[in-house]
Amino acid sequence: LAEESSQALKGLLEDAAKNPGKNDLMKRVGDYYSSAMDSLAIDRLGYRPIVPYLDGITALSSKAAVLKHMNYLRSQSVIAPLYRIGVGQDAKDVTRYIINIGQGGTTLPDRDYYLKNDARSTKIRTDYAVYISKLFTLCGVEEHKALMHAVTIMQIETALAGAQMSRVELRDPTKLYNKFSVGDLSAKTPNLNWQTILPELGYKTKQDSLVVSNPKFMVFVDSLLMAVPLENWKVYLQWNVMKDAAPYLSTEFVNANFTFNQSMSGQKEQTPRWQRMSGLIDRQLGDLLGQLYVDKYFNQAAKVRMLELVNNLQHSFDSRIKKLDWMSEETKLRALAKLHAFTKKIGFPDKWKNYEGLVIKHDDFLGNVRRCNQWFYEENISKLGKPIDKTEWGMT
C-alpha cells in the first residue's frame, strides 16, 4: 500500500511540475517538486544557502546576544536548540490550547545513546562525532578545528542528555504535567526570562501559564548557559544550522547525513530522491497534494458510504446502550454522551488548508523547506486563545 501510494504521489508531482500553470494548487506543488528535484542546481550552491546563518552566529559577541539570536533563529524555524516549545491542547482542560515546553537540545534519538556504554551505543557516538566534523569541514572549517567542534558538541549534548528524563519516565502523563505561571518559571530559570523570550519567539497572545514536562531539565539548561563558554555556544548553534539543513543541501551533505543515519537504522541503500522529496512535500504541503490525490484516486461516493456506515454503527450502539440491563440510568447517559462526542473523519478533510501567504519558488529548495516550516510554526502559535479545532487532521 505504501509503495502504491508513493508511486501515485510521484505521478501527481511530475504532472504538477510539467503543468504548473494549470492552477494555484498545481503551481505551488509543481514548483516545490521542481526545486527539490533539481539536484544539479542544489549541488552548484553547496553550503551557500546557510552561509548567512553561520556568519550571523560567528558575529555574536556576548551570551546575551547568543540567547537573543537563538530565539530569533527559532522564530524563523531555522533551528530548535536546547528545548522544545509549541502550542497544544491542555491535558487537564481539553477545551483550551496552552504553551508546552519540553526537554530537547540533543540530536541522537534519546538520552541512552549518550549515556550507555554498550558496544552499539559507543559505535553510534563515534559515528556521530565523525558526522559532526564532516559537516563542519564541508562548511569550510579546517579539519583539526572541525574535530575540536565535534568534541564541543558531544560535551554539550551529553550534558543535556544527563538532565533529560528516561523513556520510561516520559510515559507517565502525571509526571509530565507541571503548570507554571510565566513569572514563576522565569524565577526558576533566572537566565531565561520567559516574559521576554515568548514575544521574541512570536507568541503575541499574552499567556498567564504554561506546562513544562521536565522542570529540572529547564533549571539545568539555565545553569548550563552560564557554565559553557561563549565560543562553544556559537559552535553549538552553527551545528544546529548545519544538521537541520544537511538533508536539503548538496549531494555531499545528503550522503554524509545518510551515512550517519545508517549507523542507527542499518538501511543499506538511500531511498531514491523522488521518493524522499515526495514524502517531504506530502509532509509540508499535505493538504495541497492531498487535494490532487483525492481528485484523481479517491472515489467521492466512498466517503458518503463510509459516513453512512459509521452513522449506522453509532445508531446501533445508541439503541443497545439504552436496552442494557446491567447499566444504571446515570451511566447510560454518560455512555451516550461519549458515543455522540466522536468527531468523524472519513477519507479527507471537509475543509482543506490553503497555506495562505506561503511562498513557494521553483528555484529555491532550502528556502521552500524553511518557509513551509515557518508557516507551520506560525500556524501553531496562532492557535493560542482560540477554541480547540476538532476538525483538524493529524495526517495527510
Side-chain angles (χ1 to χ4, degrees):
L1 282 172
E3 190 57 38
E4 207 176 293
S5 169
S6 191
Q7 290 292 341
L9 292 188
K10 184 186 183 190
L12 291 168
L13 287 162
E14 287 175 348
D15 187 36
K18 282 184 208 134
N19 305 292
K22 240 184 190 178
N23 53 47
D24 181 57
L25 235 180
M26 295 281 271
K27 177 159 177 53
R28 288 202 280 176
V29 169
D31 283 350
Y32 201 155
Y33 191 63
S34 295
S35 75
M37 291 305 289
D38 192 352
S39 52
L40 290 175
I42 294 164
D43 281 349
R44 277 197 299 273
L45 287 169
Y47 73 98
R48 266 183 287 162
I50 62 171
V51 167
Y53 300 112
L54 300 178
D55 288 351
I57 293 164
T58 301
L60 299 172
S61 57
S62 68
K63 284 191 185 175
V66 163
L67 267 174
K68 197 172 175 63
H69 199 63
M70 211 183 273
N71 295 336
Y72 167 73
L73 291 175
R74 191 190 287 271
S75 75
Q76 298 299 302
S77 298
V78 176
I79 58 173
L82 291 182
Y83 58 88
R84 289 179 298 103
I85 186 167
V87 174
Q89 245 175 320
D90 187 332
K92 291 195 177 181
D93 178 3
V94 294
T95 63
R96 66 188 288 255
Y97 289 111
I98 196 165
I99 295 172
N100 292 282
I101 297 175
Q103 63 188 36
T106 47
T107 305
L108 299 177
D110 78 34
R111 72 196 290 268
D112 287 355
Y113 285 83
Y114 295 90
L115 307 177
K116 285 172 87 170
N117 286 316
D118 58 283
R120 183 170 181 264
S121 302
T122 306
K123 183 185 182 308
I124 287 171
R125 283 199 296 275
T126 304
D127 292 344
Y128 179 42
V130 169
Y131 177 51
I132 297 168
S133 60
K134 175 72 174 170
L135 289 202
F136 272 101
T137 53
L138 286 175
C139 289
V141 175
E142 294 164 352
E143 201 168 324
H144 71 280
K145 264 194 179 174
L147 290 167
M148 285 160 60
H149 290 346
V151 173
T152 298
I153 298 303
M154 289 303 291
Q155 284 172 340
I156 292 174
E157 292 194 4
T158 304
L160 290 167
Q164 290 176 357
M165 284 178 167
S166 68
R167 247 181 294 190
V168 175
E169 289 174 301
L170 290 169
R171 291 186 199 129
D172 183 344
T174 311
K175 231 180 212 178
L176 299 180
Y177 192 90
N178 305 283
K179 204 170 196 176
F180 290 89
S181 72
V182 175
D184 284 351
L185 181 60
S186 298
K188 280 183 93 70
T189 59
N191 299 304
L192 293 166
N193 181 349
W194 296 95
Q195 275 113 333
T196 309
I197 292 170
L198 292 175
E200 284 180 358
L201 294 181
Y203 291 82
K204 294 180 180 75
T205 309
K206 196 160 172 57
Q207 287 306 291
D208 55 358
S209 56
L210 32 76
V211 172
V212 182
S213 61
N214 185 352
K216 283 182 185 168
F217 178 80
M218 295 312 296
V219 171
F220 177 77
V221 165
D222 185 72
S223 66
L224 198 66
L225 285 166
M226 290 301 106
V228 171
L230 169 65
E231 290 307 312
N232 291 14
W233 280 126
K234 286 156 74 166
V235 168
Y236 175 74
L237 290 191
Q238 287 182 326
W239 168 241
N240 275 267
V241 169
M242 289 173 198
K243 73 170 183 186
D244 286 1
Y248 317 115
L249 293 174
S250 61
T251 304
E252 290 173 306
F253 285 89
V254 173
N255 289 347
N257 179 254
F258 176 68
T259 302
F260 164 60
N261 286 326
Q262 260 184 321
S263 179
M264 287 176 289
S265 69
Q267 186 179 337
K268 298 278 188 289
E269 285 177 33
Q270 190 155 206
T271 309
R273 186 173 185 90
W274 70 263
Q275 209 159 9
R276 281 180 280 130
M277 296 308 123
S278 63
L280 172 70
I281 296 168
D282 182 33
R283 290 191 300 276
Q284 292 203 315
L285 294 179
D287 275 29
L288 298 188
L289 189 53
Q291 285 176 70
L292 296 175
Y293 186 91
V294 165
D295 288 345
K296 186 160 185 178
Y297 294 106
F298 195 88
N299 177 356
Q300 304 286 334
K303 178 163 175 158
V304 177
R305 182 169 160 263
M306 278 298 127
L307 194 56
E308 193 183 348
L309 185 148
V310 175
N311 287 340
N312 288 342
L313 198 62
Q314 208 172 20
H315 182 72
S316 297
F317 273 130
D318 186 294
S319 58
R320 285 184 191 187
I321 288 167
K322 286 172 181 169
K323 290 174 192 164
L324 292 176
D325 55 4
W326 55 268
M327 213 183 247
S328 71
E329 289 308 309
E330 188 192 350
T331 309
K332 283 180 186 178
L333 288 173
R334 298 283 286 275
L336 290 166
K338 188 170 184 178
L339 173 67
H340 293 292
F342 277 101
T343 305
K344 284 160 263 191
K345 296 178 182 180
I346 310 289
F348 57 90
D350 295 321
K351 183 171 177 266
W352 297 94
K353 282 179 185 170
N354 68 357
Y355 307 94
E356 198 176 336
L358 173 59
V359 175
I360 299 293
K361 298 180 181 178
H362 71 92
D363 58 355
D364 183 16
F365 177 45
L366 184 64
N368 290 335
V369 174
R370 286 262 157 82
R371 285 186 290 273
C372 285
N373 289 341
Q374 181 70 5
W375 192 89
F376 279 105
Y377 180 86
E378 287 171 4
E379 184 208 32
N380 179 255
I381 288 175
S382 73
K383 290 177 180 178
L384 278 177
K386 291 179 184 171
I388 296 289
D389 180 8
K390 290 188 177 184
T391 67
E392 192 174 26
W393 279 53
M395 59 171 71
T396 63

